[in-house]
Amino acid sequence: MTRRPRFHVGPVVASAGLLLAAGSLVDSLRARATGPVAPQPSSPEPSSAPTVSRTTMVDGVEFTVQRSESAEGPCVDVVATVEGIAQGGVGGGLSGDCGRPQDADLGWGLGGLLVGDEWFNIAYGAASPAVATVSVNVGDGTEVADDVAGAGVWLVVVPAEPLDARSDFSQIRALDATGGVVAEVKPPSLVAYRQQAQAVGTGAAPNG
């Protein structure tokens, strides 16, 4: 997938956005600031440093997915940084959602983050040693794959418009080294949830 790189320096609005874990929807608080902001501390706070982490760069923003342990169970978080300055993040620890039961082979979550004036949809999670690749289908027909290769965590970040179904995630599949499907899920729509939340916030009917 070819995308034109964009890099923005200026005021940052960080949104913890939405967390979708094991089919459950958690609406996190939205944090606003006039400059770069650090991600909210984990709740519960992990009892150890990240056990595994991986990083990818998208449009000048560095996204790191990391797994750590807490008293409630495993936490998988994603943190965004620009030139070493934290911009916010999404994930179990950031929303107090650690330890939620997940598929043994494919743990997953979805979220959104606004950095500068660019929105990103984020799919992330944990993967078992049986998983070689996690493939994510996007609403515009694009398929984005992350080569896990035993890393234990996976991450897909897509530049997006918050209410555009073309950048929504429609399917997540965990594949083994031969391309066989180990686990798959069709997650709830981020766009539909945001539309409903927006309608409720303005007093309109959710489906109006």
Side-chain angles (χ1 to χ4, degrees):
M1 178 177 60
T2 301
R3 297 184 182 275
R4 183 168 62 248
R6 288 180 287 171
F7 180 72
H8 307 285
V9 177
V12 172
V13 181
S15 172
L18 310 173
L19 172 68
L20 296 158
S24 175
L25 187 62
V26 178
D27 188 12
S28 302
L29 295 175
R30 185 182 181 104
R32 293 180 178 271
T34 57
V37 295
Q40 301 173 18
S42 299
S43 175
E45 186 175 349
S47 58
S48 64
T51 54
V52 292
S53 66
R54 298 178 63 228
T55 298
T56 187
M57 182 77 75
V58 180
D59 284 3
V61 182
E62 188 174 80
F63 293 88
T64 299
V65 58
Q66 55 193 21
R67 174 175 173 156
S68 59
E69 299 298 324
S70 77
E72 300 298 322
C75 295
V76 180
D77 306 314
V78 179
V79 176
T81 59
V82 175
E83 297 182 345
I85 300 174
Q87 306 296 311
V90 298
L94 297 171
S95 64
D97 202 46
C98 297
R100 183 177 294 278
Q102 296 268 316
D103 184 282
D105 290 310
L106 178 65
W108 60 275
L110 304 180
L113 193 67
L114 184 64
V115 180
D117 61 357
E118 184 168 15
W119 183 271
F120 299 91
N121 279 346
I122 304 169
Y124 63 94
S128 76
V131 178
T133 304
V134 173
S135 176
V136 178
N137 291 96
V138 186
D140 65 359
T142 302
E143 184 175 353
V144 185
D146 185 22
D147 294 326
V148 179
V153 289
W154 63 273
L155 175 64
V156 169
V157 180
V158 178
E161 295 293 335
L163 300 180
D164 189 345
R166 291 174 297 180
S167 56
D168 212 350
F169 298 120
S170 59
Q171 185 179 47
I172 303 170
R173 296 185 300 155
L175 309 176
D176 62 21
T178 68
V181 177
V182 176
E184 62 182 319
V185 63
K186 292 185 180 295
S189 168
L190 281 171
V191 171
Y193 182 80
R194 289 169 186 153
Q195 289 173 336
Q196 184 179 35
Q198 185 180 65
V200 171
T202 58
N207 298 316

